Amino acid sequence: FETSFKDLCHLLQILAKTIENFSTRGLFTSAEISLMKRELLSGTGCCLARLLTEYCLYRNNVEGARALTFSHQDHNSTPAYVSALHFPSFSLQYNPAEGGKQKNPLQHLRESLPGSSGLNLVRMWNICSDGNDDDDGTKDADELLDQFIGIISETPA
């Protein structure tokens, strides 16, 4: 886990710096830069969130962890520029046991993990979904990417 986590974190940071360099040099429009950052969050960001979620659930031997599943997301959009390194996009789902009560998957995740682990994972998933679901472009891709990198920088490997 530690190697995969560190590799994905480094890849995310390298790609974020590369996109920032594109912006500084004026190689792409601000709309294209924003699209690249959103793609980075919905691909690499979701993969990181999934990897960390699976690890934390396993490490903490969480009861009810099987109720959380990951579904592949297809956003029906033409991949932008970072997609040469295709990372699938995921969403977190809650599937209760037969006869069980439906629950928000992020709430279940937060309640299932001790300390700040659940909170940080919920923050990561929220940022990834904000990057995916914000079709009108009102959320600042710079801010979302900075927040996401801040969370993974604080997360102990």
Side-chain angles (χ1 to χ4, degrees), residues 65-134:
R66 292 183 188 267
L68 290 172
T69 59
F70 304 93
S71 65
H72 179 70
Q73 296 288 46
D74 182 12
H75 296 287
N76 296 327
S77 63
T78 305
Y81 306 95
V82 184
S83 62
L85 301 171
H86 179 69
F87 285 92
S89 183
F90 296 98
S91 69
L92 188 61
Q93 307 291 317
Y94 181 79
N95 302 308
E98 192 171 320
K101 185 178 176 184
Q102 187 63 341
K103 212 177 193 183
N104 179 312
L106 297 178
Q107 177 187 352
H108 181 72
L109 185 62
R110 173 67 186 109
E111 293 170 354
S112 298
L113 294 170
S116 63
S117 298
L119 180 60
N120 284 336
L121 286 171
V122 166
R123 289 173 57 208
M124 289 176 78
W125 282 107
N126 280 329
I127 290 169
C128 288
S129 54
D130 281 347
N132 290 336
D133 297 336
D134 186 34

Side-chain angles (χ1 to χ4, degrees), residues 1 6-7 9 17 20 28 35 40 42 47 60 69 76 85 92-93 95 103 105 116 119 132 134 145 151 153:
F1 165 80
K6 287 177 185 176
D7 289 346
C9 287
K17 293 286 185 192
E20 198 57 45
F28 296 95
L35 187 58
L40 188 58
S42 70
C47 285
N60 291 288
T69 59
N76 296 327
L85 301 171
L92 188 61
Q93 307 291 317
N95 302 308
K103 212 177 193 183
S116 63
L119 180 60
N132 290 336
D134 186 34
L145 188 55
I151 294 169
S153 298

Side-chain angles (χ1 to χ4, degrees), residues 63 79 89 121 135 152:
E63 192 172 316
S89 183
L121 286 171
D135 294 331
I152 63 170

Side-chain angles (χ1 to χ4, degrees), residues 28-76:
F28 296 95
T29 66
S30 60
E32 290 170 324
I33 296 293
S34 180
L35 187 58
M36 285 184 222
K37 290 180 178 184
R38 288 175 188 284
E39 184 180 348
L40 188 58
L41 282 172
S42 70
T44 311
C46 281
C47 285
L48 259 172
R50 179 182 178 167
L51 182 66
L52 273 174
T53 301
E54 289 172 335
Y55 177 74
C56 287
L57 292 172
Y58 171 76
R59 185 185 72 196
N60 291 288
N61 197 22
V62 172
E63 192 172 316
R66 292 183 188 267
L68 290 172
T69 59
F70 304 93
S71 65
H72 179 70
Q73 296 288 46
D74 182 12
H75 296 287
N76 296 327

